[in-house]
Amino acid sequence: MSQPADADNASAARRAGADPRVVVIGAGPAGLTAAYALTQRGTPTTVVEGDAVVGGISRTAERDGWRFDIGGHRFFTKVKRVERLWHEILPADQFLLRPRMSRIFYDGKLYDYPLRAGNALKQLGVVEAVRCVLSYIAARIRPPKDQTNYEGWLVARFGWRLYRTFFKTYTEKVWGFPVHEMPADWAAQRVKNLSLFSAVMNALLPKRNQKDITTLIEEFEYPKTGPGLMWETARDKVLAQGGEVIMETKVDAVHWAPGVGATGVTAHVTGGYGPGAGAPNASRTDIGAVLELPADHVISSMALASLVRTLEPAPPQHVLDAANGLRFRDFLTVALVVPESASFPDNWIYVHSPDVKLGRIQNFASWSPYMVKDGRTCLGLEYFVTVGDDMWTMPDDELIELGIKEIAHLGLVEADQVETGYVVRMPKAYPIYDNTYKQNVETIVAWMSEHVPNVHPVGRNGMHKYNNQDHSMLTALLSVENILDDARHDVWAVNVEEDYHEAGEQVD
Ligand SMILES: Cc1cc2nc3c(=O)[nH]c(=O)nc-3n(C[C@H](O)[C@H](O)[C@H](O)COP(=O)(O)OP(=O)(O)OC[C@H]3O[C@@H](n4cnc5c(N)ncnc54)[C@H](O)[C@@H]3O)c2cc1C
């Protein structure tokens, strides 16, 4: 890309107030929401997606007619405009309203989740319940000295016994490092209003919350064939509104010039499908073909760390160091097909037992009957992993064998009831909040807002923020208003409000 000429063009277009050309990186919820809002207003928009399917982490994966959700994506939000948008994109008859049921598996027993006092007491047994209360009182009298880490923070509020039963193992499975090494502000983000008192009050008086909050916890909306249906429909609407969605094409460089900002992106075709893939007029382009796309604005939902590394010319070393300091937790599902009779009523079960590696089990038939086939269900055993580790690189057949062994060990399904299995891997599922992430993000944002103010990071990994779909979408909508209306929203202020939907809930 010839930088100076494009830089001139880009700045000239912005100066003249012409329709800006926007390149959107990623066709997940944030990218497609941005493209939908932009094309609705007639803005020339090109979405570039590295993968062959849309939806990002919120896709529906499909194998042999079985459908899998990466995790389990509940559609609930307090953000009214996001809720309206979901219903504007997806017709009402494509949505299901599902009852929510989830439990915690620990020490051979199933505990209702959210916790209910009667059930928890019964499962713990009187002796253990008394021990938990004594341990709580002890922690209140002599709280841990160091509460700057997540373990100290939790023990101070729950006591050691409850912490070990309901927090420690699962949290460590998810993040892959000891709870005492996690900063306490992680807790403030996730469980800010949580205390034993409020947990007990919630357990005793589950209806005392506002009606909408209670409802959100007890039931949720879900597209018939999984979250991907929302994003496949959004993609079709973007195309119908005149936008372009280029699939299997990876962005390698975001070009910028001092005093001008971003001028365009370079991408290369990875999968044999080029411009318009997914559209009726899809055309093939040679693998490896390079696309150069000039842009007045770039909306990026690719991981913030990767975005920094694609900037061309490279930003200063301290910004690159900050990007290289951002870490992720990755995710894989071992999906096992079993007869309906071997199933359970829960949407998902958290597995706290330390003797198995699996962290959670999804029951896809409970999410939607359209995800599975008659008479059978598919159980998604979830493993929290790191790209390149033993689990990530384990061959699929060995992972399926491990899954069967573990679910049989837990006594939930017998090994010979499993008909077949599939493995779905998802890199960068969770941006990690460690002791340095905040500073790293601040360093990157400070530099970018000065030098490339027309690059707009959005979404979850795009902002290295623990955003669900709703907040990922909101950051996209606000960025579009910043571009088209000069609205000057502070997109970084969009918050992850855990208190309403997860009130003390385990991580997704
Ligand atoms: C286990 C789990 C459970 C969850 N449960 C829920 C839930 O119940 N409800 C909910 O609302 N949310 C849930 N979420 C969160 C939800 O998945 C995310 O908020 C959402 O997918 C983020 O959207 P996004 O567009 O920001 O990013 P992503 O979904 O990550 O999409 C980014 C896209 O960018 C593409 N991309 C990346 N780099 C490039 C590149 N260089 N070139 C081209 N394309 C690129 C990727 O391929 C991807 O398609 C869950 C997440 C996880 C991990």
Side-chain angles (χ1 to χ4, degrees), residues 137-419:
I137 293 169
R140 298 304 289 179
I141 295 170
R142 294 190 62 184
K145 282 200 184 74
D146 183 4
Q147 290 183 39
T148 58
N149 68 70
Y150 194 19
E151 181 171 272
W153 191 94
L154 284 166
V155 170
R157 281 156 185 83
F158 294 93
W160 280 102
R161 286 194 98 87
L162 280 174
Y163 158 72
R164 285 205 194 96
T165 309
F166 292 115
F167 290 95
K168 183 175 161 59
T169 342
Y170 184 75
T171 309
E172 290 182 348
K173 278 185 191 178
V174 175
W175 297 106
F177 56 98
V179 184
H180 66 77
E181 285 178 17
M182 295 176 195
D185 79 332
W186 164 241
Q189 269 271 8
R190 296 221 40 89
V191 286
K192 57 185 166 203
N193 293 333
L194 189 62
S195 67
L196 185 64
F197 178 74
S198 67
V200 169
M201 288 307 281
N202 278 332
L204 292 173
L205 304 166
K207 306 281 183 208
R208 87 189 209 289
N209 288 333
Q210 285 166 272
K211 187 171 174 296
D212 62 330
I213 295 172
T214 309
T215 309
L216 289 175
I217 289 171
E218 290 174 354
E219 55 191 19
F220 56 87
E221 288 193 291
Y222 193 68
K224 265 182 162 174
T225 52
L229 180 60
M230 173 68 69
W231 303 113
E232 289 148 24
T233 314
R235 179 222 29 223
D236 293 347
K237 295 202 165 178
V238 168
L239 295 170
Q241 287 169 179
E244 205 181 6
V245 181
I246 305 176
M247 300 298 294
E248 294 195 82
T249 300
K250 186 171 177 282
V251 170
D252 304 309
V254 174
H255 303 277
W256 67 284
V260 177
T263 56
V265 311
T266 300
H268 77 280
V269 178
T270 60
Y273 285 94
N281 60 349
S283 63
R284 270 185 185 274
T285 308
D286 289 340
I287 293 180
V290 173
L291 306 182
E292 298 205 333
L293 304 164
D296 300 309
H297 290 271
V298 176
I299 294 184
S300 168
S301 68
M302 74 192 283
L304 186 62
S306 314
L307 172 69
V308 169
R309 289 190 287 263
T310 64
L311 286 166
E312 180 64 50
Q317 193 58 43
H318 75 281
V319 181
L320 287 171
D321 290 344
N324 292 335
L326 295 176
R327 299 188 296 144
F328 301 88
R329 190 70 168 151
D330 313 291
F331 185 88
L332 67 82
T333 302
V334 174
L336 302 178
V337 174
V338 300
E340 221 170 1
S341 55
S343 173
F344 38 78
D346 309 62
N347 308 95
W348 69 91
I349 292 178
Y350 297 106
V351 180
H352 284 220
S353 315
D355 44 338
V356 292
K357 288 184 171 155
L358 74 91
R360 197 170 50 174
I361 307 170
Q362 301 289 343
N363 178 7
F364 291 119
S366 290
W367 286 83
S368 165
Y370 299 93
M371 303 285 278
V372 299
K373 300 181 192 177
D374 275 353
R376 286 164 291 167
T377 185
C378 188
L379 303 177
L381 280 51
E382 299 179 342
Y383 293 90
F384 306 100
V385 297
T386 298
V387 167
D389 73 9
D390 290 353
M391 292 283 290
W392 185 265
T393 52
M394 196 182 279
D396 288 4
D397 54 348
E398 287 177 31
L399 281 169
I400 292 165
E401 211 176 294
L402 174 73
I404 296 174
K405 210 168 101 194
E406 293 205 335
I407 201 162
H409 172 81
L410 294 177
L412 290 172
V413 174
E414 283 166 33
D416 60 8
Q417 290 180 297
V418 178
E419 242 176 65

Side-chain angles (χ1 to χ4, degrees), residues 25-31 48-51 53-59 70-76 86 249-252 301-303 310 331 360 367 382 384 426 428-430 458-462 467-470 472 508:
I25 305 174
V48 186
E49 168 55 55
D51 219 322
V53 290
V54 296
I57 305 170
S58 307
R59 74 188 54 194
I70 311 299
H73 283 71
R74 281 177 288 163
F75 281 64
F76 56 69
W86 281 337
T249 300
K250 186 171 177 282
V251 170
D252 304 309
S301 68
M302 74 192 283
T310 64
F331 185 88
R360 197 170 50 174
W367 286 83
E382 299 179 342
F384 306 100
M426 177 52 66
K428 294 193 173 73
Y430 300 96
V458 293
R460 182 174 169 107
N461 291 328
N467 284 328
N468 265 354
Q469 286 178 106
D470 57 347
S472 301
D508 299 312

Side-chain angles (χ1 to χ4, degrees), residues 18-19 26 52 63 67 88 121 217 220 268 317 352 395 441 497:
D19 257 354
R63 307 278 161 81
R67 294 192 172 96
E88 185 179 311
L121 254 178
I217 289 171
F220 56 87
H268 77 280
Q317 193 58 43
H352 284 220
V441 170
E497 290 179 72

